[in-house]
Amino acid sequence: MITHRRMGATRLALLSSLALASLLYGCGGGETIALEEKGSPFIAFDIWVKAGSQNDPEGKEGLASLTAQLLADGSTQQDTYQQIIEKLYPMAAGYGASVDKEMTVFRGTVHVDNLEGYYGLLKNALLTPAFSQADFDRIKSQTLNYLERQRRYNRDEELSKELLYWMAYQGTPYQHPEEGYVQSVKSITLDDVKAFYDTYYVANNIVTAVGGGFPGGFPQRVRADFDTRPKGRVEKVPAPELEELDRVRILIVEKETDATSISLGFPTELIRGKGDFYAMKLVNAWFGDHRNSFSHLYQVIREKRGMNYGDYSYIEPFPLGYTTQDRPVNVSRRSNLFEIWIRPVGQTWVGDLHPRALFAARAALRELARLTANGLPESEIDRTKVFLSDYSLNYGSTVSRRLAYAVDDAFYGLSGPSGYLAAIRPELAKLTKKDVDGAIEKHLKSPGMYMVFVTRDGEALKKLILSGKATPNTYSGEVLLSLVSEDQQIASWPIVVQGDDIRVMDISEVFESR
């Protein structure tokens, strides 16, 4: 549903005014966000239900996701699923659902000429679902196929990221992946879905957001339609409280593979728009901006050494990063990790898979330690300001994305000039070296670290880590002399961990049950 270049003054003026153009107001029931862009031929929808996987009952993990998918990909009281597809096809439009820890969002965009027909289908999907048993069985079967096969055997790099969050958020509502566990999804019934819908899809728990060149009064009309849902009392889920991480903890997932996927991270107190968030945004852009050769980690591990496809870091969640360069929207959370993602590191010849994987992990740890020890030079701060000020203009590249950012602003309590897209450039411009180094000191000096490796022969990797032996990198060609000394330091960079803090798990156990 849903390139780095300089933007002209028109794009800059548009993006700078987005937060001022969005309006959050009540209409006797829930809330509405209207982001009017007069003259636009498109109308975007972002229907936000204030519930996510954190609201899944214990033993029914995945219920929020399954409910949303049934609404987005199921029949309504007016049309069968096949009829809906046939009606959407000539509109060249569609709608879909995304579920995160705290948000469920139904998103779609349509040309103004097809607004009435499209909105009727979207409205029916959310307000008058058929809850067909056949649709439920189809979607549950698809979900289980994903959980048992695709999630475990298709994308190790995404799996390592999901497992990092699973480790960090043990015992909290954030612990389980949004799609749930194999056994929990098997236990979900159509009655469970109906009960979840009745509890959370209530008028006062739904925010309707409309953007683009909509006709006069249209956002109010949408709000009035959704206010036909009954009101309800929705219990607020407390934000996760994480224990202080005082040591290294490692999870090794064993599967047959010729490449090792790695994720590292630890909890932070960063929340979008609050405190020194923008200082850390600059730091993260310099250190590991997603899929950008500008970033330091990318240069150290990929460009200089050619070890893998990319190496990035994050201060906010970035699910499905392998699919896109666009920043994710509608994954707003009250708790975040600082995360390093090392895309799969392959062997160059038999026997060097584990040493190469550890070398890459050690390289990332060394660069992080150097950053926290030395801070950022003034010249790098200035260079990153220029890069990020330009690059961030791409964030709101479509009316759908601009509207989604406005919804995220509502989640974080940002408005007016404090709206995220409007605030990035002026906030970056104000930053000083003292601000940046203070943010590094506060947020990146963690005494502990969660580490996830997805690789083969997990016990052998565990033994190698515990041995403390150096793990030199291997090259298929000649090594630049400038790298020799640095490689020696990286190869022996300490990973201080006790045996009890390393767990080896077979791939068949991953996300099988709670």
Side-chain angles (χ1 to χ4, degrees):
M1 295 290 295
I2 38 182
T3 62
H4 181 206
R5 61 183 186 278
R6 287 187 174 270
M7 298 296 172
T10 301
R11 170 67 67 83
L12 176 57
L14 174 62
L15 296 186
S16 297
S17 66
L18 288 178
L20 297 176
S22 64
L23 177 65
L24 181 65
Y25 56 90
C27 290
E31 297 167 313
T32 284
I33 296 172
L35 185 64
E36 185 172 14
E37 295 180 5
K38 292 182 177 179
S40 172
F42 298 105
I43 290 91
F45 295 85
D46 215 69
I47 310 299
W48 167 28
V49 181
K50 296 182 180 180
S53 62
Q54 69 171 4
N55 301 93
D56 290 338
E58 185 173 345
K60 301 288 183 179
E61 292 85 359
L63 180 55
S65 178
L66 199 57
T67 301
Q69 294 307 318
L70 182 58
L71 299 181
D73 294 328
S75 307
T76 65
Q77 295 174 22
Q78 294 79 12
D79 295 292
T80 66
Y81 178 59
Q82 184 60 39
Q83 287 171 331
I84 293 170
I85 297 298
E86 291 171 357
K87 289 181 179 181
L88 285 170
Y89 182 78
M91 300 180 194
Y95 51 79
S98 65
V99 176
D100 196 63
K101 305 298 186 188
E102 305 207 29
M103 305 180 80
T104 295
V105 175
F106 297 86
R107 189 180 303 117
T109 303
V110 68
H111 191 277
V112 65
D113 291 348
N114 295 313
L115 176 60
E116 287 302 320
Y118 176 85
Y119 174 60
L121 295 172
L122 176 62
K123 176 182 66 174
N124 293 342
L126 299 181
L127 300 182
T128 55
F131 290 120
S132 158
Q133 184 69 49
D135 287 337
F136 173 78
D137 292 341
R138 167 175 55 85
I139 291 168
K140 181 175 175 177
S141 176
Q142 291 171 348
T143 301
L144 286 170
N145 179 66
Y146 168 76
L147 299 182
E148 294 177 313
R149 295 172 178 82
Q150 295 183 53
R151 183 164 67 183
R152 289 172 173 167
Y153 300 105
N154 193 26
R155 286 285 180 180
D156 291 354
E157 55 186 353
E158 187 66 20
L159 181 62
S160 71
K161 293 168 65 177
E162 291 185 346
L163 286 165
L164 178 68
Y165 279 84
W166 178 76
M167 286 184 73
Y169 286 102
Q170 287 285 317
T172 78
Y174 275 23
Q175 176 179 335
H176 65 275
E178 289 77 16
E179 298 84 3
Y181 303 118
V182 173
Q183 296 304 321
S184 64
V185 170
K186 285 182 177 179
S187 75
I188 294 173
T189 67
L190 183 56
D191 284 341
D192 293 328
V193 169
K194 292 177 181 178
F196 191 91
Y197 177 82
D198 289 341
T199 300
Y200 295 105
Y201 286 67
V202 291
N204 52 301
N205 201 45
I206 298 173
V207 176
T208 57
V210 184
F214 49 76
F218 185 70
Q220 293 90 331
R221 173 185 161 192
V222 174
R223 182 68 260 172
D225 287 336
F226 279 80
D227 282 342
T228 62
R229 287 289 301 154
K231 294 183 180 180
R233 182 179 178 182
V234 178
E235 296 292 336
K236 188 174 180 63
V237 178
E241 294 184 6
L242 302 182
E243 64 179 47
E244 184 176 354
L245 183 59
D246 58 356
R247 61 192 188 276
V248 174
R249 296 180 182 178
I250 299 176
L251 174 65
I252 302 172
V253 174
E254 184 171 339
K255 65 177 292 188
E256 283 303 314
T257 179
D258 291 329
T260 300
S261 298
I262 308 167
S263 284
L264 322 171
F266 50 81
T268 73
E269 298 177 357
L270 277 173
I271 298 294
R272 180 179 294 184
K274 306 296 193 297
D276 42 15
F277 172 83
Y278 290 101
M280 274 302 300
K281 184 169 180 61
L282 181 144
V283 171
N284 188 70
W286 177 86
F287 188 69
D289 197 72
H290 177 73
R291 299 186 78 165
N292 265 305
S293 59
F294 175 89
S295 79
H296 183 67
L297 277 183
Y298 185 101
Q299 291 297 322
V300 169
I301 300 176
R302 170 175 167 167
E303 287 297 288
K304 287 184 178 180
R305 294 171 172 86
M307 298 194 71
N308 62 350
Y309 186 70
D311 308 275
Y312 319 114
S313 63
Y314 308 91
I315 58 173
E316 294 185 292
F318 207 117
L320 303 177
Y322 67 91
T323 66
T324 181
Q325 188 159 335
D326 289 336
R327 271 53 187 167
V329 289
N330 300 152
V331 292
S332 300
R333 301 180 186 179
R334 292 171 293 162
S335 178
N336 290 302
L337 305 182
F338 173 74
E339 177 184 353
I340 296 174
W341 182 34
I342 300 175
R343 303 190 76 171
V345 177
Q347 63 183 22
T348 54
W349 55 72
V350 175
D352 72 350
L353 178 61
H354 291 163
R356 280 174 56 80
L358 276 183
F359 184 91
R362 282 170 154 162
L365 293 173
R366 176 176 179 267
E367 296 310 317
L368 180 60
R370 294 176 69 202
L371 175 63
T372 57
N374 304 322
L376 272 182
E378 194 85 53
S379 60
E380 291 301 289
I381 293 173
D382 292 341
R383 188 171 72 95
T384 307
K385 281 184 179 182
V386 172
F387 161 76
L388 190 52
S389 292
D390 284 355
Y391 189 74
S392 63
L393 291 176
N394 292 282
Y395 290 2
S397 56
T398 66
V399 63
S400 178
R401 290 184 59 79
R402 294 190 287 273
L403 182 64
Y405 275 113
V407 169
D408 289 336
D409 286 346
F411 179 98
Y412 290 113
L414 306 175
S415 61
S418 296
Y420 185 54
L421 292 181
I424 293 174
R425 291 169 65 92
E427 290 293 338
L428 288 174
K430 293 189 299 186
L431 292 176
T432 65
K433 177 172 170 55
K434 182 178 179 181
D435 296 330
V436 172
D437 289 344
I440 293 171
E441 176 74 21
K442 180 178 179 180
H443 296 290
L444 295 185
K445 284 195 170 181
S446 172
M449 175 83 70
Y450 293 106
M451 306 178 69
V452 178
F453 297 85
V454 180
T455 191
R456 71 167 180 261
D457 197 356
E459 290 294 341
L461 177 58
K462 176 180 178 179
K463 183 177 180 180
L464 180 59
I465 294 171
L466 290 174
S467 73
K469 292 180 180 178
T471 53
N473 191 24
T474 52
Y475 298 91
S476 57
E478 294 184 3
V479 183
L480 294 174
L481 291 177
S482 60
L483 296 184
V484 172
S485 175
E486 191 174 49
D487 276 11
Q488 290 175 345
Q489 294 180 40
I490 293 171
S492 58
W493 193 261
I495 301 177
V496 181
V497 63
Q498 303 298 317
D500 291 345
D501 287 325
I502 303 180
R503 177 182 179 183
V504 179
M505 175 188 293
D506 188 79
I507 188 63
S508 64
E509 302 174 56
V510 169
F511 296 142
E512 178 68 19
S513 60
R514 187 175 176 83

